[in-house]
Amino acid sequence: MALFNDDYSINSILGNGSTIKGNLRINGCIHIDGDLDGNLESSGNVIIGEHARINGSINAKSITIGGVIKGDVIAPEGVHLLSSSIVIGDIQTHHFQADKNVLIHGHCIALSDDSFYNEAVQKWQDKQAIASASILKDMKINLPEQQEPSQSNRADMQESEWK
């Protein structure tokens, strides 16, 4: 096992049937075939096997996805989606490759030029910030105060309806 980032060996493995709840920070490469309920940050390459399910965002050098990810994927050097992959979230990368029959539900930024990539990421982050601010602003809902039913209406209500 390598002590520092090693692009040629897998430093960590989460096997099929294994589950981790919480965020992971890995120095080097990792292969995941189990379940992760949390975010993953890796300084190396990440391989998500076809049986893996991840509920969280992934930030790595590059990533190959064969399983299900519900969260954002940021991998500057490359993202490869295998035919069994499902990504429900946004993808940001310089190099994007997708096999047939992949499912993506989210926004994808894949530009090889650094300046165009950085500009697109900044615009997307600005749009997300504006949208989240307007959503929060719109969520202020004034509900009318509920009044108790009058005596005449109480007799008509069934006991299950009266609280």
Side-chain angles (χ1 to χ4, degrees):
M1 187 178 292
L3 184 58
F4 297 103
N5 188 13
D6 184 357
D7 289 341
Y8 302 106
S9 65
I10 296 174
N11 299 351
S12 305
I13 296 176
L14 178 63
N16 192 0
S18 301
T19 301
I20 293 180
K21 290 186 179 190
N23 297 330
L24 288 177
R25 181 174 286 165
I26 303 294
N27 185 21
C29 302
I30 184 169
H31 186 130
I32 297 178
D33 275 321
D35 296 343
L36 172 62
D37 188 6
N39 299 324
L40 170 62
E41 185 177 332
S42 173
S43 61
N45 303 318
V46 173
I47 300 169
I48 307 297
E50 67 180 42
H51 300 290
R53 296 177 298 183
I54 297 179
N55 184 24
S57 296
I58 300 175
N59 192 334
K61 184 173 151 183
S62 70
I63 185 167
T64 300
I65 302 170
V68 178
I69 297 177
K70 184 179 178 186
D72 297 337
V73 175
I74 299 172
E77 288 194 12
V79 172
H80 181 189
L81 302 180
L82 302 175
S83 62
S84 57
S85 65
I86 298 172
V87 177
I88 302 170
D90 299 333
I91 299 172
Q92 295 178 15
T93 186
H94 286 291
H95 305 283
F96 181 77
Q97 180 181 355
D99 293 350
K100 290 181 181 180
N101 301 322
V102 302
L103 176 65
I104 304 170
H105 183 76
H107 187 83
C108 181
I109 296 173
L111 297 166
S112 58
D113 183 87
D114 279 339
S115 61
F116 291 138
Y117 173 81
N118 293 332
E119 182 180 340
V121 168
Q122 186 61 48
K123 283 182 181 179
W124 177 242
Q125 289 171 345
D126 291 346
K127 285 181 182 181
Q128 285 182 311
I130 291 168
S132 67
S134 65
I135 289 171
L136 293 175
K137 181 180 176 185
D138 292 341
M139 292 189 68
K140 294 180 182 176
I141 300 171
N142 294 326
L143 297 175
E145 292 184 30
Q146 292 190 4
Q147 301 174 358
E148 281 194 33
S150 65
Q151 286 290 0
S152 61
N153 289 344
R154 284 187 192 169
D156 296 336
M157 296 177 76
Q158 295 180 4
E159 191 174 358
S160 63
E161 293 176 333
W162 176 240
K163 292 183 182 180

